[in-house]
Amino acid sequence: MTTTTPASPPTPPPTTPAPAGRGRLNPRSIAIWTAIAIAGAIAWGVLALSRGEEINAIWLVVAALASYAIAYRFYARFIVRKVLKVDDTRATPAERLDNGIDYQPTDRRILVGHHFAAIAGAGPLVGPVLAAQMGYLPGTMWIIFGVIFAGAVQDMVILFFSMRRNGKSLGQMARDEIGTVGGIAALVAVFSIMIILLAVLALVVVNALAKSPWGTFSIAMTIPIALFMGFYLRVLRPGRVIETTAIGVGLLLLAIVAGGWVQESGLADTFTLSPETLTICLIVYGFFASVLPVWMLLAPRDYLSTFMKVGVIGLLAVGVLVAAPVLRTEAVTDFAREGNGPVFSGALFPFVFITIACGALSGFHALISSGTTPKMIQKESQVRLVGYGAMLMESFVAVMALIAACILEPGLYYAMNAPAGVLGSTVDSASAAVANLGFTISPQDLSAAAAEVEEQTLVARTGGAPTLAVGMSEIFSSFLGGSGLKAFWYHFAIMFEALFILTTVDAGTRVGRFMLQDTLGNIWKPIGRVSWKPGLWATSAVVVLAWGYFLYTGVTNPLGGINQLFPLFGIANQLLAAVALAVATTILVKSGRLKWAWVTGIPLVWDATVTLTASWQKVFSDNPAIGFFAQRERFSDALDRGEVLAPAKNLDDMRAVVTNSTVDGVLAAFFAILVIIVIVNAAWVCYKAIRAREPLPTTEAPYVESKIVAPAGLFPTAEERRELAAAGASSTGDRT
């Protein structure tokens, strides 16, 4: 149970050095890091200074990897040691509150897999694809610098503070640390935004699997494989992580290959499910993923999915290094300067920072960092690997997605991503429309591109996912199988995208349950206890039915349900990040770390400026392509005249667009107001903390000595191996 204690409860000195600090650099290390820095600087120089020349995609990979390595080694280490001051002698809630359901000390390798799988959803895949309209440079800079100084920092700091508060949810931490008014605003904003995000992510999964027996079969098989892994690791062979991993990955690869066989067999019809059926299956799966013990299904399935995700993205990076594709997109396009792009309207600032959310900075990640993960982490020092490291991995996914979009010919890119109202329905009309945008692609080339991936048409395949699949097939086929396998790699990529996104839905549902339990626990204490099964089942049902309702309505009505709220996805996600960064900054100030408040305070100011500017434009802009109410007025006036405007196909659709625009405009304003309330209250609490003579009370749990011995990083150091040996553990199976 969480108690109110002084801001920095006294703790006994660590009996062993915290693994976060691994000594000073030796000459060999200095030489290595100098070489990495030089390589990164050269890559950034090529990307930033080249104008008109052909740029190889390899430079993006080098710039990203060098930047990530330096940030993880130095900046993340600085935050862990100086700002957070992690203490490995202190027991985490996973150790203190272990109940075998939600609280469970979990091997760091499995946990980083779970965390990465839970945070890496649609955002890092489709956001960069859409933002390629602005050119490769703005997106690349935001993805890499955004994750280093904002996204990964948010994830790690929120994970640490939630862990210090018994795994409390973001909304509950806001209520406890900021106050009743700001806390209630945060609870309402966080929970309602989360339902929207989960429904949007689930809709992407349904759309990807609706016509893919391969994807449906392969993803369905990950459930029994995960259950087997969970029981194998906990009951049959405890602690044998590498052994369990080898078996699980082998079965996963077999399931993927078998999915291709199923697609070509008589079983294809069995695994070709309608969107309605897939929706029901997702709702049922989401419920069980939320209520079953975390070791049984959620953690092993996410860990297993991570191998698929990392393996494919790693193979994509190898493909870029081998094939060395050229970026066909300009560094900065005219659409970025003029704000009139066909994929989405709006200027580079603020909309590129809204379009690319996950991969640079994502509020959804703060929900996972204050949801499942803090209840499973073994040692405080592991926040660097799990929180910061997993977010860097997701950022690299976004970089690879941006590369996949930018190596396509601009004519094909815009023929796929411009709306049907601009392109028309035929290859001839699409070719003419692309020519009007200043690019060229012939009708024959459009037809040939569709035939290569065995699609009837690629015209107006909006949303980003089909474009990513085409780009991935270009890279893979360039060094694996040639053009004859392009269709295979395209459909493999579609299946991969569905698997990639599904893991955020199951983990997000469990986090939504935690959040609802925390919120209702303020009113009735028993329901706030995560071990009370009736409360666990009831809140899980409420969460899955909430996002399930919007999802089901969306798949049965193209202009209803979650389709109505889809335009809010980017802004809502980044507003959520503002709440998380406000909470983190407040706790830093209240706990006597004012001099380090800039670590989260600067990202907070940036994110609040971006998202509130975007919210203002989406509400008050008189451009119908940007402003919700301007769009409402345009369609309402046309409806009065009896006209039908795209994307509507009849007068009923016109009325639906008017309703949707009104709802979106109201919700955009509502969410922005809630976030302003949170930030203002947080600023007031920080002011009081600065002026106070004594530290303000905080809800950090009291110190309890830890009995667990476990490494901080992915691979144990020599010192950690000695500690493990002394404790009777091994580097492959940590012990308490």
mmCIF file of all heavy atoms in Angstrom, residues 480-498:
data_model
loop_
_atom_site.group_PDB
_atom_site.id
_atom_site.type_symbol
_atom_site.label_atom_id
_atom_site.label_comp_id
_atom_site.label_asym_id
_atom_site.label_seq_id
_atom_site.Cartn_x
_atom_site.Cartn_y
_atom_site.Cartn_z
ATOM 1 N N LEU A 480 17.077 -10.298 -51.436
ATOM 2 C CA LEU A 480 16.567 -11.618 -51.072
ATOM 3 C C LEU A 480 15.518 -12.061 -52.089
ATOM 4 O O LEU A 480 14.340 -11.728 -51.975
ATOM 5 C CB LEU A 480 15.943 -11.603 -49.660
ATOM 6 C CG LEU A 480 16.905 -11.453 -48.477
ATOM 7 C CD1 LEU A 480 16.127 -11.317 -47.173
ATOM 8 C CD2 LEU A 480 17.858 -12.644 -48.402
ATOM 9 N N GLY A 481 15.927 -12.762 -53.116
ATOM 10 C CA GLY A 481 14.976 -13.373 -54.030
ATOM 11 C C GLY A 481 14.680 -12.621 -55.299
ATOM 12 O O GLY A 481 14.056 -13.178 -56.204
ATOM 13 N N GLY A 482 15.051 -11.349 -55.373
ATOM 14 C CA GLY A 482 14.798 -10.592 -56.590
ATOM 15 C C GLY A 482 13.346 -10.171 -56.732
ATOM 16 O O GLY A 482 12.509 -10.376 -55.853
ATOM 17 N N SER A 483 13.027 -9.592 -57.891
ATOM 18 C CA SER A 483 11.682 -9.048 -58.118
ATOM 19 C C SER A 483 10.603 -10.119 -58.111
ATOM 20 O O SER A 483 9.438 -9.829 -57.867
ATOM 21 C CB SER A 483 11.646 -8.291 -59.451
ATOM 22 O OG SER A 483 12.009 -9.162 -60.522
ATOM 23 N N GLY A 484 10.986 -11.370 -58.345
ATOM 24 C CA GLY A 484 10.000 -12.445 -58.347
ATOM 25 C C GLY A 484 9.377 -12.686 -56.991
ATOM 26 O O GLY A 484 8.279 -13.257 -56.894
ATOM 27 N N LEU A 485 10.064 -12.254 -55.917
ATOM 28 C CA LEU A 485 9.537 -12.437 -54.563
ATOM 29 C C LEU A 485 8.954 -11.147 -53.989
ATOM 30 O O LEU A 485 8.653 -11.080 -52.800
ATOM 31 C CB LEU A 485 10.637 -12.954 -53.632
ATOM 32 C CG LEU A 485 11.000 -14.435 -53.750
ATOM 33 C CD1 LEU A 485 12.059 -14.803 -52.713
ATOM 34 C CD2 LEU A 485 9.763 -15.309 -53.550
ATOM 35 N N LYS A 486 8.786 -10.139 -54.832
ATOM 36 C CA LYS A 486 8.295 -8.859 -54.327
ATOM 37 C C LYS A 486 6.890 -9.006 -53.738
ATOM 38 O O LYS A 486 6.575 -8.423 -52.688
ATOM 39 C CB LYS A 486 8.302 -7.810 -55.433
ATOM 40 C CG LYS A 486 7.983 -6.404 -54.942
ATOM 41 C CD LYS A 486 8.191 -5.369 -56.036
ATOM 42 C CE LYS A 486 9.660 -5.186 -56.356
ATOM 43 N NZ LYS A 486 9.897 -4.075 -57.300
ATOM 44 N N ALA A 487 6.028 -9.782 -54.374
ATOM 45 C CA ALA A 487 4.668 -9.990 -53.858
ATOM 46 C C ALA A 487 4.704 -10.714 -52.520
ATOM 47 O O ALA A 487 3.947 -10.386 -51.596
ATOM 48 C CB ALA A 487 3.832 -10.780 -54.864
ATOM 49 N N PHE A 488 5.591 -11.710 -52.419
ATOM 50 C CA PHE A 488 5.734 -12.426 -51.146
ATOM 51 C C PHE A 488 6.122 -11.466 -50.022
ATOM 52 O O PHE A 488 5.526 -11.470 -48.936
ATOM 53 C CB PHE A 488 6.790 -13.523 -51.277
ATOM 54 C CG PHE A 488 7.220 -14.126 -49.970
ATOM 55 C CD1 PHE A 488 6.496 -15.144 -49.393
ATOM 56 C CD2 PHE A 488 8.360 -13.647 -49.311
ATOM 57 C CE1 PHE A 488 6.891 -15.695 -48.179
ATOM 58 C CE2 PHE A 488 8.760 -14.187 -48.095
ATOM 59 C CZ PHE A 488 8.017 -15.217 -47.529
ATOM 60 N N TRP A 489 7.128 -10.626 -50.265
ATOM 61 C CA TRP A 489 7.589 -9.711 -49.225
ATOM 62 C C TRP A 489 6.529 -8.653 -48.911
ATOM 63 O O TRP A 489 6.422 -8.205 -47.757
ATOM 64 C CB TRP A 489 8.894 -9.036 -49.656
ATOM 65 C CG TRP A 489 10.071 -9.950 -49.635
ATOM 66 C CD1 TRP A 489 10.864 -10.305 -50.686
ATOM 67 C CD2 TRP A 489 10.588 -10.646 -48.494
ATOM 68 N NE1 TRP A 489 11.834 -11.177 -50.274
ATOM 69 C CE2 TRP A 489 11.698 -11.403 -48.935
ATOM 70 C CE3 TRP A 489 10.221 -10.706 -47.152
ATOM 71 C CZ2 TRP A 489 12.439 -12.192 -48.068
ATOM 72 C CZ3 TRP A 489 10.962 -11.502 -46.297
ATOM 73 C CH2 TRP A 489 12.051 -12.233 -46.746
ATOM 74 N N TYR A 490 5.759 -8.247 -49.902
ATOM 75 C CA TYR A 490 4.687 -7.271 -49.666
ATOM 76 C C TYR A 490 3.658 -7.848 -48.688
ATOM 77 O O TYR A 490 3.288 -7.191 -47.701
ATOM 78 C CB TYR A 490 4.025 -6.904 -50.996
ATOM 79 C CG TYR A 490 2.771 -6.057 -50.843
ATOM 80 C CD1 TYR A 490 2.856 -4.683 -50.678
ATOM 81 C CD2 TYR A 490 1.505 -6.639 -50.893
ATOM 82 C CE1 TYR A 490 1.712 -3.907 -50.540
ATOM 83 C CE2 TYR A 490 0.359 -5.877 -50.765
ATOM 84 C CZ TYR A 490 0.468 -4.509 -50.582
ATOM 85 O OH TYR A 490 -0.679 -3.749 -50.442
ATOM 86 N N HIS A 491 3.179 -9.052 -48.937
ATOM 87 C CA HIS A 491 2.162 -9.641 -48.064
ATOM 88 C C HIS A 491 2.759 -10.040 -46.712
ATOM 89 O O HIS A 491 2.069 -9.993 -45.687
ATOM 90 C CB HIS A 491 1.517 -10.840 -48.765
ATOM 91 C CG HIS A 491 0.661 -10.442 -49.936
ATOM 92 N ND1 HIS A 491 -0.597 -9.902 -49.786
ATOM 93 C CD2 HIS A 491 0.898 -10.468 -51.271
ATOM 94 C CE1 HIS A 491 -1.102 -9.627 -50.975
ATOM 95 N NE2 HIS A 491 -0.216 -9.963 -51.892
ATOM 96 N N PHE A 492 4.035 -10.395 -46.706
ATOM 97 C CA PHE A 492 4.718 -10.627 -45.442
ATOM 98 C C PHE A 492 4.738 -9.344 -44.617
ATOM 99 O O PHE A 492 4.510 -9.364 -43.394
ATOM 100 C CB PHE A 492 6.150 -11.108 -45.702
ATOM 101 C CG PHE A 492 6.988 -11.221 -44.461
ATOM 102 C CD1 PHE A 492 6.948 -12.359 -43.686
ATOM 103 C CD2 PHE A 492 7.824 -10.175 -44.072
ATOM 104 C CE1 PHE A 492 7.717 -12.464 -42.529
ATOM 105 C CE2 PHE A 492 8.597 -10.265 -42.924
ATOM 106 C CZ PHE A 492 8.541 -11.412 -42.152
ATOM 107 N N ALA A 493 4.997 -8.212 -45.257
ATOM 108 C CA ALA A 493 5.039 -6.930 -44.558
ATOM 109 C C ALA A 493 3.673 -6.559 -43.987
ATOM 110 O O ALA A 493 3.580 -6.012 -42.878
ATOM 111 C CB ALA A 493 5.539 -5.829 -45.506
ATOM 112 N N ILE A 494 2.607 -6.845 -44.724
ATOM 113 C CA ILE A 494 1.253 -6.569 -44.222
ATOM 114 C C ILE A 494 0.996 -7.374 -42.953
ATOM 115 O O ILE A 494 0.459 -6.858 -41.954
ATOM 116 C CB ILE A 494 0.198 -6.898 -45.301
ATOM 117 C CG1 ILE A 494 0.320 -5.931 -46.488
ATOM 118 C CG2 ILE A 494 -1.202 -6.854 -44.716
ATOM 119 C CD1 ILE A 494 -0.045 -4.506 -46.186
ATOM 120 N N MET A 495 1.367 -8.667 -42.984
ATOM 121 C CA MET A 495 1.209 -9.506 -41.805
ATOM 122 C C MET A 495 2.061 -8.988 -40.649
ATOM 123 O O MET A 495 1.630 -8.938 -39.492
ATOM 124 C CB MET A 495 1.582 -10.948 -42.162
ATOM 125 C CG MET A 495 1.414 -11.974 -41.039
ATOM 126 S SD MET A 495 2.827 -12.100 -39.928
ATOM 127 C CE MET A 495 4.075 -12.719 -41.058
ATOM 128 N N PHE A 496 3.291 -8.575 -40.949
ATOM 129 C CA PHE A 496 4.201 -8.050 -39.944
ATOM 130 C C PHE A 496 3.615 -6.810 -39.271
ATOM 131 O O PHE A 496 3.699 -6.646 -38.045
ATOM 132 C CB PHE A 496 5.538 -7.720 -40.607
ATOM 133 C CG PHE A 496 6.430 -6.814 -39.801
ATOM 134 C CD1 PHE A 496 7.075 -7.294 -38.681
ATOM 135 C CD2 PHE A 496 6.612 -5.492 -40.171
ATOM 136 C CE1 PHE A 496 7.903 -6.459 -37.939
ATOM 137 C CE2 PHE A 496 7.423 -4.654 -39.439
ATOM 138 C CZ PHE A 496 8.079 -5.137 -38.309
ATOM 139 N N GLU A 497 3.011 -5.924 -40.048
ATOM 140 C CA GLU A 497 2.427 -4.719 -39.485
ATOM 141 C C GLU A 497 1.307 -5.047 -38.501
ATOM 142 O O GLU A 497 1.194 -4.422 -37.433
ATOM 143 C CB GLU A 497 1.903 -3.817 -40.606
ATOM 144 C CG GLU A 497 3.010 -3.214 -41.466
ATOM 145 C CD GLU A 497 2.477 -2.551 -42.724
ATOM 146 O OE1 GLU A 497 1.249 -2.351 -42.815
ATOM 147 O OE2 GLU A 497 3.282 -2.237 -43.620
ATOM 148 N N ALA A 498 0.476 -6.028 -38.840
ATOM 149 C CA ALA A 498 -0.606 -6.425 -37.941
ATOM 150 C C ALA A 498 -0.053 -6.987 -36.635
ATOM 151 O O ALA A 498 -0.520 -6.649 -35.538
ATOM 152 C CB ALA A 498 -1.510 -7.448 -38.626
#
